[in-house]
Amino acid sequence: MSISRRDFLGAGAAAAAGLALPTLAGAEPVISNIVDRAARPAPRPASRPVIISAANGMEKDPEGKQGIKVAWDLLAGGADPLDAIVAGVNVVELNPNDQSVGLGGLPDEDGVVQVDASCMHGPSKRAGAVGCLEDIADAAAVAKAVMDFTDHIFLVGEGAKRFAIEMGFKPQNLLTDKSRRDWLRWKADLNPDDNWLNLPARRPAGAPKGGRGGRDDETLQQSLHVYYDARGVPHTYGTINMNVVTASGDIASVTTTSGLSWKIPGRVGDSPIIGAGQYCDNEVGAAGSTGRGEANMKVCGGFLAVEFMRQGMSPTEACMKVMERVVAMTESRLLDEHGRPYFDLQYYAVNKKGEYGAAMAYQGADPDHPTSFAVCDDKGARLEPFAYMYTYDQRPKGRPMSGTLVIPK
Ligand code: ASP
């Protein structure tokens, strides 16, 4: 089925302009001091359809055939919104150079890649998820299959894999040679008394020890979401979350990841948890997260962002307000002497009007190149900078800022 350009763009934009969001009786928009102080871009005009996502791959290759463009083209052709974004994130899942999602993801501590994903379909109020799925790159599509073909919502481990194979997904080893070598480097350097000889680090030229890098690194070129520890071993905290609002105001969301690098086998992050990694309410909007899942899970960040939008906050304000809740809910061992977290986290949100926004805890790794998220609307696909709570200079010194922590001794 195809739809006319007027149906795709015009009717949606007109409807978006006059739409009021449902508000909880008595709820006041609460904008805290932190949110007031933090950097917030001017409100973005509402326009539908719109897709917002993590920028995986786009930072390095803005003109390439990126997932968000694939999703947009499918939407323009009349595809269901969730089908469109599941196909969009699949571009990243199948890209072996993105070491934070699907094929080529950095493995767990046993060298096994376990992937997590979840999705929600606003118009039909359905959800699906998979966790600790092995040997299948298309985790988001498997999550959608759980939604489409079962009476369950969440399958994990061996059962999730068996289900995926029954659904026709092809098993393959997700550990690429590159990720296997990184795993060996990490493993060899864990214990000074073991019998492993340390392999040369592959920290790229110019990337600081114990800092983030990646711009000059050929093998990790698809992702800036890389932290090099003091030994030059990469840690990833990528993940892709994608959210869409169609011309007529239908909403869908999806998140897919290989999770934190070197995790304990069986660890499930926030990405497959409905309400944490992503959430969608067709009356209000959608939101999702990337970054330290352990921090997001405790605040049910996807759900909370949607609830803040329901109370009347803009998507950016909602994301910042969730970030504030994350800091408030962080145990002291993970906060520096100023109460700032030793990790980073990103939120992405859209509302039913087609307004969108994204926020992260810290300004980014490089003050000259603001960290960005991806957006696609009738003006095309582009990168826009995150709002942030703390500036680059406020990052705790000498501490990794990825989802993977080195706890101060
Ligand atoms: N949120 C993901 C997880 O905790 C990882 C990430 O986005 O970096 O598994």
Side-chain angles (χ1 to χ4, degrees):
M1 187 191 99
S2 72
I3 55 176
S4 73
R5 183 173 159 79
R6 189 187 167 283
D7 287 345
F8 181 56
L9 298 174
L19 191 102
L21 292 173
T23 308
L24 285 183
E28 297 170 12
V30 190
I31 308 297
S32 73
N33 290 339
I34 290 184
V35 172
D36 280 343
R37 280 202 313 270
R40 276 186 294 163
R44 295 160 169 111
S47 139
R48 298 192 317 219
V50 63
I51 307 176
I52 174 176
S53 85
N56 304 51
M58 259 182 92
E59 303 112 325
K60 282 284 174 181
D61 182 17
E63 301 312 318
K65 187 84 182 153
Q66 302 299 344
I68 200 164
K69 298 180 188 170
V70 168
W72 179 264
D73 289 346
L74 286 167
L75 206 60
D80 172 85
L82 183 56
D83 285 341
I85 57 174
V86 166
V89 299
N90 192 240
V91 172
V92 179
E93 290 175 325
L94 299 184
N95 179 354
N97 290 319
D98 190 316
Q99 289 185 289
S100 67
V101 179
L103 177 66
L106 288 181
D108 66 16
E109 65 180 29
D110 287 347
V112 175
V113 182
Q114 292 191 329
V115 296
D116 299 332
S118 64
C119 63
M120 285 185 83
H121 185 253
S124 63
K125 306 178 182 178
R126 293 177 303 145
V130 286
C132 291
L133 174 65
E134 294 179 9
D135 298 333
I136 309 281
D138 326 79
V142 181
K144 184 173 179 305
V146 173
M147 181 189 93
D148 284 336
F149 299 110
T150 80
D151 188 36
H152 304 317
I153 287 187
F154 199 171
L155 296 181
V156 300
E158 191 49 41
K161 178 177 170 182
R162 226 165 44 214
F163 167 79
I165 292 169
E166 284 166 11
M167 287 290 118
F169 292 92
K170 296 276 172 284
Q172 65 176 318
N173 185 0
L174 302 183
L175 188 67
T176 56
D177 221 40
K178 185 167 68 179
S179 292
R180 184 185 55 77
R181 286 198 305 269
D182 284 330
W183 170 63
L184 287 177
R185 275 189 193 94
W186 170 79
K187 190 168 129 96
D189 217 8
L190 276 182
N191 176 357
D193 302 323
D194 67 21
N195 292 316
W196 290 91
L197 301 180
N198 294 355
L199 296 162
R202 71 175 181 86
R203 182 176 51 244
K209 274 189 185 177
R212 293 209 309 202
R215 277 177 202 284
D216 305 323
D217 181 15
E218 284 171 17
T219 52
L220 284 164
Q221 62 186 339
Q222 299 294 325
S223 173
L224 293 182
H225 298 280
V226 169
Y227 156 76
Y228 293 88
D229 66 21
R231 304 156 301 169
V233 174
H235 298 246
T236 55
Y237 56 106
T239 301
I240 181 160
N241 161 247
M242 195 177 283
N243 310 291
V244 59
V245 184
T246 68
S248 60
D250 279 335
I251 307 171
S253 52
V254 65
T255 298
T256 179
T257 189
S258 54
L260 296 184
S261 47
W262 329 130
K263 61 193 172 187
I264 296 172
R267 177 265 188 189
V268 175
D270 59 327
S271 305
I273 297 178
I274 311 291
Q278 54 77 43
Y279 192 75
C280 160
D281 180 327
N282 216 47
E283 296 304 309
V284 178
S289 178
T290 60
R292 182 176 162 81
E294 279 74 4
N296 180 38
M297 270 188 263
K298 286 190 296 176
V299 304
C300 305
F303 179 77
L304 191 57
V306 170
E307 290 309 298
F308 283 147
M309 290 192 286
R310 193 194 305 276
Q311 292 174 10
M313 289 186 203
S314 74
T316 308
E317 286 168 342
C319 292
M320 291 294 280
K321 194 73 186 154
V322 175
M323 197 68 76
E324 189 185 335
R325 181 74 63 86
V326 167
V327 175
M329 283 295 289
T330 296
E331 56 266 51
S332 57
R333 76 183 170 94
L334 302 180
L335 295 173
D336 76 358
E337 64 275 21
H338 305 288
R340 298 177 199 135
Y342 286 121
F343 56 82
D344 213 336
L345 198 54
Q346 298 80 34
Y347 288 100
Y348 314 80
V350 283
N351 66 19
K352 196 168 176 71
K353 290 193 268 188
E355 294 168 333
Y356 61 89
M360 57 194 297
Y362 289 93
Q363 186 177 13
D366 177 350
D368 296 329
H369 299 91
T371 310
S372 303
F373 61 97
V375 58
C376 192
D377 56 17
D378 59 348
K379 293 187 272 311
R382 59 191 177 277
L383 294 174
E384 293 195 10
F386 279 96
Y388 53 85
M389 185 177 281
Y390 304 115
T391 65
Y392 178 75
D393 292 335
Q394 291 175 317
R395 300 159 68 92
K397 298 284 179 290
R399 302 268 158 65
M401 294 306 302
S402 73
T404 307
L405 290 155
V406 176
I407 307 296
K409 297 270 187 295

